[in-house]
Amino acid sequence: MESKPITQRGPGVIAPPPLLFLAPLLGGFLLDRLLPPPPPPLPRALRVAGLPLGAAGIGLAGWFVATMQRAGTPVDVTKPPTALVQDGPFRRTRNPGYVGMALGYLGLALAARGRWPLILLPGALTVVDRGVIQREERYLEQRFGADYTGYRQRVRRWL
């Protein structure tokens, strides 16, 4: 898809998305040690479910990176995209990298029985949605115009 010239280098996200997931995850594990939430602990079935969820997240994130690289457009959100990628995992979600990171976070938190990380996950998702995704969407609309608008109408933001 042909892109329109714009003055901005990138979408102006608030922070690198991996950091927006990693900080509450690690902070939550630290809180679990320093200020454990009251019982009950997570059921074993949830802990076991964490492994496939984490693996799915890692797999989706890898597929996302490979698809972006094949398209020749940067994965780094601070750099302007050179193409509007609509194949691979982008056929099902406009944000496969963030879905992958969220599944990885959830899987790790469940597998490690981290209750604080689970409590902090909705906040992390809200920050990613407002501080990254909404800014990227405005940027992509400006950069790719009707091509992005059509894509946005066909494919869901998350799942």
Side-chain angles (χ1 to χ4, degrees), residues 83-155:
L84 179 59
V85 182
Q86 300 180 53
D87 61 342
F90 290 93
R91 290 177 297 190
R92 300 280 182 236
T93 173
R94 294 193 313 261
N95 297 290
Y98 307 140
V99 172
M101 284 186 257
L103 285 173
Y105 178 118
L106 178 61
L108 183 58
L110 288 173
R113 297 169 55 189
R115 290 180 287 161
W116 275 111
L118 293 174
I119 292 167
L120 297 175
L121 179 57
L125 293 172
T126 300
V127 170
V128 168
D129 186 62
R130 293 192 180 137
V132 178
I133 293 173
Q134 289 179 15
R135 293 170 188 225
E136 285 180 333
E137 287 178 341
R138 285 191 298 272
Y139 179 84
L140 293 169
E141 180 83 42
Q142 182 183 11
R143 182 144 177 118
F144 296 106
D147 289 336
Y148 181 72
T149 302
Y151 172 64
R152 188 174 175 178
Q153 290 170 349
R154 287 188 314 277
V155 178

Side-chain angles (χ1 to χ4, degrees), residues 29-36:
F29 284 131
L30 182 62
L31 280 172
D32 273 346
R33 290 257 187 213
L34 300 175
L35 185 65

